mmCIF file of all heavy atoms in Angstrom:
data_model
loop_
_atom_site.group_PDB
_atom_site.id
_atom_site.type_symbol
_atom_site.label_atom_id
_atom_site.label_comp_id
_atom_site.label_asym_id
_atom_site.label_seq_id
_atom_site.Cartn_x
_atom_site.Cartn_y
_atom_site.Cartn_z
ATOM 1 N N LYS A 1 55.176 -50.906 -7.963
ATOM 2 C CA LYS A 1 55.816 -49.662 -7.503
ATOM 3 C C LYS A 1 57.333 -49.830 -7.480
ATOM 4 O O LYS A 1 57.849 -50.856 -7.071
ATOM 5 C CB LYS A 1 55.338 -49.285 -6.059
ATOM 6 C CG LYS A 1 55.945 -47.945 -5.607
ATOM 7 C CD LYS A 1 55.516 -47.601 -4.248
ATOM 8 C CE LYS A 1 56.215 -46.339 -3.814
ATOM 9 N NZ LYS A 1 56.007 -46.035 -2.383
ATOM 10 N N ASN A 2 57.957 -48.832 -8.054
ATOM 11 C CA ASN A 2 59.450 -48.920 -8.191
ATOM 12 C C ASN A 2 60.137 -48.576 -6.898
ATOM 13 O O ASN A 2 60.661 -47.481 -6.652
ATOM 14 C CB ASN A 2 59.898 -47.912 -9.302
ATOM 15 C CG ASN A 2 61.398 -48.091 -9.620
ATOM 16 O OD1 ASN A 2 62.026 -49.051 -9.336
ATOM 17 N ND2 ASN A 2 62.017 -46.969 -10.029
ATOM 18 N N ASP A 3 60.089 -49.504 -5.955
ATOM 19 C CA ASP A 3 60.618 -49.375 -4.591
ATOM 20 C C ASP A 3 61.551 -50.548 -4.308
ATOM 21 O O ASP A 3 61.116 -51.657 -4.263
ATOM 22 C CB ASP A 3 59.471 -49.289 -3.626
ATOM 23 C CG ASP A 3 59.849 -48.725 -2.287
ATOM 24 O OD1 ASP A 3 61.051 -48.532 -2.042
ATOM 25 O OD2 ASP A 3 58.931 -48.537 -1.429
ATOM 26 N N HIS A 4 62.888 -50.245 -4.213
ATOM 27 C CA HIS A 4 63.837 -51.345 -3.950
ATOM 28 C C HIS A 4 64.008 -52.235 -5.062
ATOM 29 O O HIS A 4 64.543 -53.359 -4.940
ATOM 30 C CB HIS A 4 63.527 -52.099 -2.644
ATOM 31 C CG HIS A 4 63.663 -51.384 -1.411
ATOM 32 N ND1 HIS A 4 62.918 -50.299 -1.005
ATOM 33 C CD2 HIS A 4 64.603 -51.542 -0.353
ATOM 34 C CE1 HIS A 4 63.263 -49.810 0.145
ATOM 35 N NE2 HIS A 4 64.302 -50.542 0.590
ATOM 36 N N LEU A 5 63.565 -51.817 -6.279
ATOM 37 C CA LEU A 5 63.652 -52.722 -7.463
ATOM 38 C C LEU A 5 64.986 -52.508 -8.169
ATOM 39 O O LEU A 5 65.493 -53.452 -8.849
ATOM 40 C CB LEU A 5 62.510 -52.448 -8.419
ATOM 41 C CG LEU A 5 61.097 -52.871 -7.943
ATOM 42 C CD1 LEU A 5 60.125 -52.522 -9.078
ATOM 43 C CD2 LEU A 5 61.012 -54.286 -7.465
ATOM 44 N N GLY A 6 65.571 -51.324 -8.145
ATOM 45 C CA GLY A 6 66.742 -51.039 -8.918
ATOM 46 C C GLY A 6 66.587 -50.438 -10.262
ATOM 47 O O GLY A 6 67.536 -50.387 -11.017
ATOM 48 N N PHE A 7 65.326 -50.081 -10.596
ATOM 49 C CA PHE A 7 65.084 -49.454 -11.892
ATOM 50 C C PHE A 7 65.404 -47.981 -11.762
ATOM 51 O O PHE A 7 64.751 -47.223 -11.107
ATOM 52 C CB PHE A 7 63.664 -49.643 -12.331
ATOM 53 C CG PHE A 7 63.307 -48.890 -13.637
ATOM 54 C CD1 PHE A 7 64.038 -49.188 -14.801
ATOM 55 C CD2 PHE A 7 62.308 -47.938 -13.672
ATOM 56 C CE1 PHE A 7 63.745 -48.508 -15.968
ATOM 57 C CE2 PHE A 7 62.014 -47.175 -14.889
ATOM 58 C CZ PHE A 7 62.768 -47.519 -16.010
ATOM 59 N N GLU A 8 66.541 -47.585 -12.387
ATOM 60 C CA GLU A 8 67.086 -46.226 -12.250
ATOM 61 C C GLU A 8 67.482 -45.677 -13.601
ATOM 62 O O GLU A 8 67.995 -46.407 -14.468
ATOM 63 C CB GLU A 8 68.271 -46.222 -11.311
ATOM 64 C CG GLU A 8 67.969 -46.673 -9.931
ATOM 65 C CD GLU A 8 69.225 -46.882 -9.082
ATOM 66 O OE1 GLU A 8 70.308 -47.084 -9.701
ATOM 67 O OE2 GLU A 8 69.100 -46.818 -7.853
ATOM 68 N N ILE A 9 67.354 -44.361 -13.734
ATOM 69 C CA ILE A 9 67.746 -43.743 -15.018
ATOM 70 C C ILE A 9 68.794 -42.641 -14.584
ATOM 71 O O ILE A 9 68.427 -41.699 -13.791
ATOM 72 C CB ILE A 9 66.629 -43.131 -15.775
ATOM 73 C CG1 ILE A 9 65.629 -44.207 -16.236
ATOM 74 C CG2 ILE A 9 67.037 -42.272 -16.970
ATOM 75 C CD1 ILE A 9 64.413 -43.759 -16.885
ATOM 76 N N ALA A 10 69.993 -42.694 -15.071
ATOM 77 C CA ALA A 10 71.024 -41.722 -14.690
ATOM 78 C C ALA A 10 70.747 -40.470 -15.435
ATOM 79 O O ALA A 10 70.400 -40.434 -16.619
ATOM 80 C CB ALA A 10 72.415 -42.267 -15.032
ATOM 81 N N TYR A 11 70.901 -39.343 -14.762
ATOM 82 C CA TYR A 11 70.782 -38.019 -15.392
ATOM 83 C C TYR A 11 71.727 -36.990 -14.773
ATOM 84 O O TYR A 11 72.290 -37.269 -13.658
ATOM 85 C CB TYR A 11 69.345 -37.480 -15.310
ATOM 86 C CG TYR A 11 68.963 -37.019 -13.977
ATOM 87 C CD1 TYR A 11 68.855 -35.683 -13.567
ATOM 88 C CD2 TYR A 11 68.536 -37.965 -12.969
ATOM 89 C CE1 TYR A 11 68.408 -35.235 -12.340
ATOM 90 C CE2 TYR A 11 68.118 -37.523 -11.746
ATOM 91 C CZ TYR A 11 68.104 -36.196 -11.388
ATOM 92 O OH TYR A 11 67.692 -35.798 -10.158
ATOM 93 N N ILE A 12 71.986 -35.935 -15.421
ATOM 94 C CA ILE A 12 72.935 -34.990 -14.927
ATOM 95 C C ILE A 12 72.235 -33.631 -14.652
ATOM 96 O O ILE A 12 71.534 -33.074 -15.550
ATOM 97 C CB ILE A 12 74.123 -34.742 -15.961
ATOM 98 C CG1 ILE A 12 74.869 -36.025 -16.211
ATOM 99 C CG2 ILE A 12 75.037 -33.633 -15.494
ATOM 100 C CD1 ILE A 12 75.895 -35.972 -17.228
ATOM 101 N N HIS A 13 72.413 -33.140 -13.447
ATOM 102 C CA HIS A 13 71.801 -31.943 -13.084
ATOM 103 C C HIS A 13 72.678 -31.091 -12.141
ATOM 104 O O HIS A 13 73.275 -31.700 -11.249
ATOM 105 C CB HIS A 13 70.466 -32.160 -12.342
ATOM 106 C CG HIS A 13 69.673 -30.895 -11.992
ATOM 107 N ND1 HIS A 13 69.569 -30.423 -10.693
ATOM 108 C CD2 HIS A 13 69.055 -29.975 -12.749
ATOM 109 C CE1 HIS A 13 68.900 -29.337 -10.642
ATOM 110 N NE2 HIS A 13 68.519 -28.996 -11.958
ATOM 111 N N GLN A 14 72.871 -29.787 -12.403
ATOM 112 C CA GLN A 14 73.724 -28.971 -11.635
ATOM 113 C C GLN A 14 75.105 -29.563 -11.497
ATOM 114 O O GLN A 14 75.807 -29.452 -10.446
ATOM 115 C CB GLN A 14 73.152 -28.798 -10.199
ATOM 116 C CG GLN A 14 71.768 -28.171 -10.136
ATOM 117 C CD GLN A 14 71.744 -26.670 -10.517
ATOM 118 O OE1 GLN A 14 72.839 -26.000 -10.470
ATOM 119 N NE2 GLN A 14 70.674 -26.125 -10.847
ATOM 120 N N GLY A 15 75.660 -30.176 -12.613
ATOM 121 C CA GLY A 15 76.995 -30.597 -12.645
ATOM 122 C C GLY A 15 77.298 -31.943 -11.950
ATOM 123 O O GLY A 15 78.406 -32.232 -11.661
ATOM 124 N N ALA A 16 76.249 -32.646 -11.584
ATOM 125 C CA ALA A 16 76.471 -33.940 -10.830
ATOM 126 C C ALA A 16 75.545 -35.032 -11.444
ATOM 127 O O ALA A 16 74.370 -34.736 -11.891
ATOM 128 C CB ALA A 16 76.147 -33.757 -9.421
ATOM 129 N N VAL A 17 76.077 -36.262 -11.519
ATOM 130 C CA VAL A 17 75.197 -37.370 -12.035
ATOM 131 C C VAL A 17 74.325 -37.800 -10.887
ATOM 132 O O VAL A 17 74.797 -38.067 -9.817
ATOM 133 C CB VAL A 17 76.084 -38.516 -12.513
ATOM 134 C CG1 VAL A 17 75.287 -39.753 -12.883
ATOM 135 C CG2 VAL A 17 76.995 -38.124 -13.683
ATOM 136 N N ARG A 18 73.006 -37.938 -11.129
ATOM 137 C CA ARG A 18 72.083 -38.382 -10.145
ATOM 138 C C ARG A 18 71.308 -39.555 -10.740
ATOM 139 O O ARG A 18 71.387 -39.922 -11.919
ATOM 140 C CB ARG A 18 71.150 -37.200 -9.790
ATOM 141 C CG ARG A 18 71.914 -35.947 -9.399
ATOM 142 C CD ARG A 18 70.990 -34.707 -9.357
ATOM 143 N NE ARG A 18 71.751 -33.531 -9.217
ATOM 144 C CZ ARG A 18 71.943 -32.893 -8.049
ATOM 145 N NH1 ARG A 18 71.519 -33.424 -6.941
ATOM 146 N NH2 ARG A 18 72.691 -31.780 -8.012
ATOM 147 N N LYS A 19 70.445 -40.140 -9.836
ATOM 148 C CA LYS A 19 69.695 -41.314 -10.275
ATOM 149 C C LYS A 19 68.172 -40.960 -10.086
ATOM 150 O O LYS A 19 67.712 -40.536 -9.058
ATOM 151 C CB LYS A 19 70.015 -42.520 -9.417
ATOM 152 C CG LYS A 19 71.415 -43.040 -9.597
ATOM 153 C CD LYS A 19 71.740 -44.163 -8.729
ATOM 154 C CE LYS A 19 73.161 -44.727 -8.969
ATOM 155 N NZ LYS A 19 73.487 -45.829 -8.084
ATOM 156 N N TYR A 20 67.472 -41.165 -11.209
ATOM 157 C CA TYR A 20 66.025 -40.900 -11.292
ATOM 158 C C TYR A 20 65.287 -42.232 -11.162
ATOM 159 O O TYR A 20 65.578 -43.167 -11.904
ATOM 160 C CB TYR A 20 65.701 -40.209 -12.565
ATOM 161 C CG TYR A 20 64.226 -40.027 -12.938
ATOM 162 C CD1 TYR A 20 63.282 -39.799 -11.966
ATOM 163 C CD2 TYR A 20 63.859 -40.105 -14.276
ATOM 164 C CE1 TYR A 20 61.990 -39.678 -12.301
ATOM 165 C CE2 TYR A 20 62.483 -39.943 -14.573
ATOM 166 C CZ TYR A 20 61.588 -39.778 -13.592
ATOM 167 O OH TYR A 20 60.299 -39.566 -13.928
ATOM 168 N N ARG A 21 64.376 -42.343 -10.225
ATOM 169 C CA ARG A 21 63.638 -43.532 -9.945
ATOM 170 C C ARG A 21 62.134 -43.288 -10.190
ATOM 171 O O ARG A 21 61.452 -42.807 -9.255
ATOM 172 C CB ARG A 21 63.854 -44.106 -8.600
ATOM 173 C CG ARG A 21 65.352 -44.361 -8.311
ATOM 174 C CD ARG A 21 65.645 -44.728 -6.846
ATOM 175 N NE ARG A 21 67.036 -44.917 -6.576
ATOM 176 C CZ ARG A 21 67.891 -44.068 -6.295
ATOM 177 N NH1 ARG A 21 67.536 -42.799 -6.156
ATOM 178 N NH2 ARG A 21 69.208 -44.363 -6.057
ATOM 179 N N PRO A 22 61.578 -43.478 -11.393
ATOM 180 C CA PRO A 22 60.168 -43.273 -11.632
ATOM 181 C C PRO A 22 59.296 -44.093 -10.676
ATOM 182 O O PRO A 22 59.748 -45.117 -10.118
ATOM 183 C CB PRO A 22 59.984 -43.693 -13.089
ATOM 184 C CG PRO A 22 61.310 -43.617 -13.729
ATOM 185 C CD PRO A 22 62.290 -43.958 -12.569
ATOM 186 N N ASP A 23 58.022 -43.651 -10.500
ATOM 187 C CA ASP A 23 57.261 -44.242 -9.524
ATOM 188 C C ASP A 23 56.681 -45.613 -9.778
ATOM 189 O O ASP A 23 56.669 -46.486 -8.910
ATOM 190 C CB ASP A 23 56.037 -43.308 -9.161
ATOM 191 C CG ASP A 23 56.546 -42.002 -8.555
ATOM 192 O OD1 ASP A 23 57.446 -41.996 -7.758
ATOM 193 O OD2 ASP A 23 56.015 -40.923 -8.954
ATOM 194 N N PHE A 24 56.158 -45.877 -10.999
ATOM 195 C CA PHE A 24 55.546 -47.136 -11.279
ATOM 196 C C PHE A 24 55.970 -47.703 -12.636
ATOM 197 O O PHE A 24 56.266 -46.902 -13.565
ATOM 198 C CB PHE A 24 53.996 -46.938 -11.324
ATOM 199 C CG PHE A 24 53.376 -46.596 -10.004
ATOM 200 C CD1 PHE A 24 53.102 -45.277 -9.706
ATOM 201 C CD2 PHE A 24 53.076 -47.554 -9.063
ATOM 202 C CE1 PHE A 24 52.521 -44.892 -8.505
ATOM 203 C CE2 PHE A 24 52.500 -47.235 -7.860
ATOM 204 C CZ PHE A 24 52.222 -45.883 -7.590
ATOM 205 N N LEU A 25 56.011 -48.990 -12.726
ATOM 206 C CA LEU A 25 56.180 -49.719 -13.967
ATOM 207 C C LEU A 25 54.894 -50.495 -14.240
ATOM 208 O O LEU A 25 54.410 -51.224 -13.351
ATOM 209 C CB LEU A 25 57.350 -50.632 -13.907
ATOM 210 C CG LEU A 25 58.748 -50.070 -13.863
ATOM 211 C CD1 LEU A 25 59.778 -51.181 -13.644
ATOM 212 C CD2 LEU A 25 59.066 -49.307 -15.080
ATOM 213 N N VAL A 26 54.331 -50.312 -15.418
ATOM 214 C CA VAL A 26 52.998 -50.940 -15.746
ATOM 215 C C VAL A 26 53.114 -51.683 -17.063
ATOM 216 O O VAL A 26 53.680 -51.136 -18.033
ATOM 217 C CB VAL A 26 51.949 -49.829 -15.885
ATOM 218 C CG1 VAL A 26 50.552 -50.428 -16.120
ATOM 219 C CG2 VAL A 26 51.931 -48.936 -14.610
ATOM 220 N N ARG A 27 52.612 -52.949 -17.070
ATOM 221 C CA ARG A 27 52.440 -53.700 -18.275
ATOM 222 C C ARG A 27 51.022 -53.698 -18.634
ATOM 223 O O ARG A 27 50.083 -54.130 -17.938
ATOM 224 C CB ARG A 27 52.992 -55.098 -18.140
ATOM 225 C CG ARG A 27 52.937 -55.892 -19.460
ATOM 226 C CD ARG A 27 53.676 -57.253 -19.418
ATOM 227 N NE ARG A 27 52.871 -58.187 -18.580
ATOM 228 C CZ ARG A 27 53.323 -58.774 -17.437
ATOM 229 N NH1 ARG A 27 54.547 -58.463 -17.046
ATOM 230 N NH2 ARG A 27 52.549 -59.674 -16.865
#
C-alpha cells in the first residue's frame, strides 16, 4: 500500500501543482 512510501506523481489542477498518491503498487 502506498502509505508513507513517497511514491508521488505531480499534476496540475485548478492552477496549482499537487501530488497524486495512487493506492497500491503491485509486482
Side-chain angles (χ1 to χ4, degrees):
K1 182 184 175 185
N2 185 26
D3 197 351
H4 288 68
L5 294 182
F7 176 58
E8 301 169 334
I9 297 174
Y11 71 102
I12 300 177
H13 183 253
Q14 300 289 342
V17 175
R18 305 166 192 266
K19 293 179 180 179
Y20 169 37
R21 302 172 181 89
D23 294 319
F24 295 96
L25 291 175
V26 183
R27 185 172 71 243

